[in-house]
Amino acid sequence: MGAAAHAEPIKIGVNQPLTGPFAASGNYVVNGARIAADEINAKGGVLGNPIELVIEDNKSNPTEAAAVAEKLITSDEVPVMLGAWGSSLTLATMPKLEEYEIPMVVETSSSGKITTSGNPFVFRISPPSALEASAFAPRVESLGLTKVDFLVINNDWGRGAAEDFGAMLREQGVEVGMVETMDQASQDMSAQLTRLRGSDADTIMMTTAVDQLTLIFRQMAALGIDKRVITTGGSQNPDQIIAQAGDAADGTMHLTTFLPWAPDKTPDPAATTYFLDEWRNRGFDFAGATESFRGYDGIRTIAAAIENAGSTDPEAIVEGLWQVDMTGLNGPIKFEKMGPEGLESGQSEPGVYLIQIKDGAVSEVPS
């Protein structure tokens, strides 16, 4: 690492769910972030200094997420953060960003409110559900969707996805039926699934974390429900679903923002290959790559912003984030302004892909 090894480290706060219902996803993101930090430090760090990740567990709880943000800012004195996986977790941290004027790169959350509520310290590299719905719109006709029901987690993430996808489907002439919700800790969705079984909808769109999806697919199989299933971004981790749900996941479709199964089709094949090789070399399951890349790209985005700023001053990093223009593992990372004038958040527009699980394997659904 050369001189950077002896310089004062630049701290980057990482606010993720390492325990609780979203723990699998949060740990994947953290491990992806560590790969990025190690790669950056091996090349000399940022501004000649190594970066140091200060990682905290928000316990999949919004109140904890806000407390973690305050601790990272006031106690650890981080000038910038990565977080906080779930939309409700990220929304809970946002008042702290405004209070202390500290920027945060949002790596996963998809609620539209994150970038439209007027918080100039938010920079998101994942697609909001409205952007994801827009990317999916051209597939509606080819898939033959006529009526769609929803089964979503009862928080900002799930309700926002149902609202945004529902609006898009109506514009495409598709009937929108029931919107069933479930708490994030629920393990028995049989009541909701029984109601959905009785519907004449041909498709169920779902938004929740991987472990809950696994339970849903198993319960659908037990109830004999044979309908098309499409999950929205952030909720999918197809390889993990295959491992946990087995045959019950066969035929399900998933919107994803990364194609680790086809590195040559990604925007930067060399970077994708490096990341996947490093992921495997560290002994991690390939299944985690679908989410871990978010942490990898998030830390690389922050490092680029600090380089642009030429400083670790939070105000300068905000300006540096507006100057980021790079290629992430899922497409260009360049922030466009979104939200009320003068208080805009930054939103990047990554690629969105549709994949299907068939016979225990993942394949991209042709456009």
Side-chain angles (χ1 to χ4, degrees), residues 5-195:
H6 306 288
E8 187 72 21
I10 297 172
K11 293 181 178 181
I12 298 173
V14 179
N15 185 343
Q16 289 291 312
L18 306 181
T19 57
F22 307 141
S25 298
N27 280 282
Y28 286 144
V29 170
V30 164
N31 285 325
R34 286 179 171 136
I35 291 175
D38 291 345
E39 180 185 13
I40 291 163
N41 287 339
K43 294 177 179 178
V46 179
L47 305 179
N49 298 68
I51 59 173
E52 176 187 337
L53 304 184
V54 184
I55 300 164
E56 292 287 344
D57 178 15
N58 64 39
K59 303 178 183 177
S60 304
N61 180 284
T63 302
E64 288 286 344
V68 161
E70 185 153 41
K71 186 260 183 188
L72 287 168
I73 295 167
T74 61
S75 179
D76 298 298
E77 299 183 337
V78 303
V80 60
M81 287 190 287
L82 177 77
W85 197 79
S87 293
S88 293
L89 305 174
T90 297
L91 287 163
T93 69
M94 286 168 52
K96 299 298 180 183
L97 306 181
E98 288 186 288
E99 180 181 354
Y100 296 103
E101 300 185 343
I102 296 292
M104 183 168 82
V105 170
V106 177
E107 86 298 328
T108 304
S109 310
S110 62
S111 170
K113 290 191 289 186
I114 289 167
T115 44
T116 59
S117 62
N119 190 317
F121 303 99
V122 167
F123 294 81
R124 177 162 53 183
I125 61 173
S126 55
S129 52
L131 189 156
E132 188 183 9
S134 177
F136 178 72
R139 294 182 176 271
V140 168
E141 184 176 357
S142 63
L143 290 172
L145 304 186
T146 59
K147 183 176 180 179
V148 176
D149 290 333
F150 288 86
L151 176 59
V152 300
I153 189 169
N154 190 19
N155 61 17
D156 296 289
W157 170 32
R159 294 190 301 269
E163 182 178 338
D164 289 331
F165 275 87
M168 177 276 295
L169 290 167
R170 291 186 184 96
E171 289 175 2
Q172 296 291 317
V174 176
E175 184 180 354
V176 175
M178 294 186 287
V179 178
E180 292 285 338
T181 62
M182 56 202 163
D183 293 335
Q184 69 180 37
S186 296
Q187 297 190 27
D188 182 3
M189 277 63 70
S190 56
Q192 294 95 324
L193 290 171
T194 298
R195 288 191 289 271

Side-chain angles (χ1 to χ4, degrees), residues 277-296:
D277 286 347
E278 188 62 26
W279 184 255
R280 292 188 185 97
N281 289 341
R282 296 183 182 216
F284 299 134
D285 290 339
F286 178 78
T290 319
E291 293 195 270
S292 60
F293 88 93
R294 304 173 195 271
Y296 180 75

Side-chain angles (χ1 to χ4, degrees), residues 126-319:
S126 55
S129 52
L131 189 156
E132 188 183 9
S134 177
F136 178 72
R139 294 182 176 271
V140 168
E141 184 176 357
S142 63
L143 290 172
L145 304 186
T146 59
K147 183 176 180 179
V148 176
D149 290 333
F150 288 86
L151 176 59
V152 300
I153 189 169
N154 190 19
N155 61 17
D156 296 289
W157 170 32
R159 294 190 301 269
E163 182 178 338
D164 289 331
F165 275 87
M168 177 276 295
L169 290 167
R170 291 186 184 96
E171 289 175 2
Q172 296 291 317
V174 176
E175 184 180 354
V176 175
M178 294 186 287
V179 178
E180 292 285 338
T181 62
M182 56 202 163
D183 293 335
Q184 69 180 37
S186 296
Q187 297 190 27
D188 182 3
M189 277 63 70
S190 56
Q192 294 95 324
L193 290 171
T194 298
R195 288 191 289 271
L196 291 167
R197 182 177 59 182
S199 166
D200 60 351
D202 53 80
T203 300
I204 307 172
M205 297 199 79
M206 299 182 183
T207 304
T208 188
V210 172
D211 289 339
Q212 201 164 44
L213 283 175
T214 298
L215 294 172
I216 291 168
F217 296 158
R218 288 175 177 168
Q219 289 166 25
M220 286 182 68
L223 290 167
I225 300 173
D226 185 20
K227 296 190 180 193
R228 181 192 290 115
V229 168
I230 302 171
T231 75
T232 70
S235 60
Q236 46 24 46
N237 190 324
D239 292 284
Q240 187 181 351
I241 289 171
I242 292 169
Q244 294 179 184
D247 292 345
D250 206 55
T252 59
M253 294 182 176
H254 309 268
L255 283 161
T256 180
T257 53
F258 183 39
L259 286 177
W261 314 277
D264 58 320
K265 293 184 179 181
T266 62
D268 189 343
T272 298
T273 299
Y274 168 82
F275 172 72
L276 293 176
D277 286 347
E278 188 62 26
W279 184 255
R280 292 188 185 97
N281 289 341
R282 296 183 182 216
F284 299 134
D285 290 339
F286 178 78
T290 319
E291 293 195 270
S292 60
F293 88 93
R294 304 173 195 271
Y296 180 75
D297 273 354
I299 295 300
R300 293 200 299 159
T301 299
I302 290 170
I306 295 171
E307 285 283 3
N308 292 340
S311 166
T312 57
D313 176 71
E315 184 177 358
I317 294 174
V318 169
E319 293 305 312

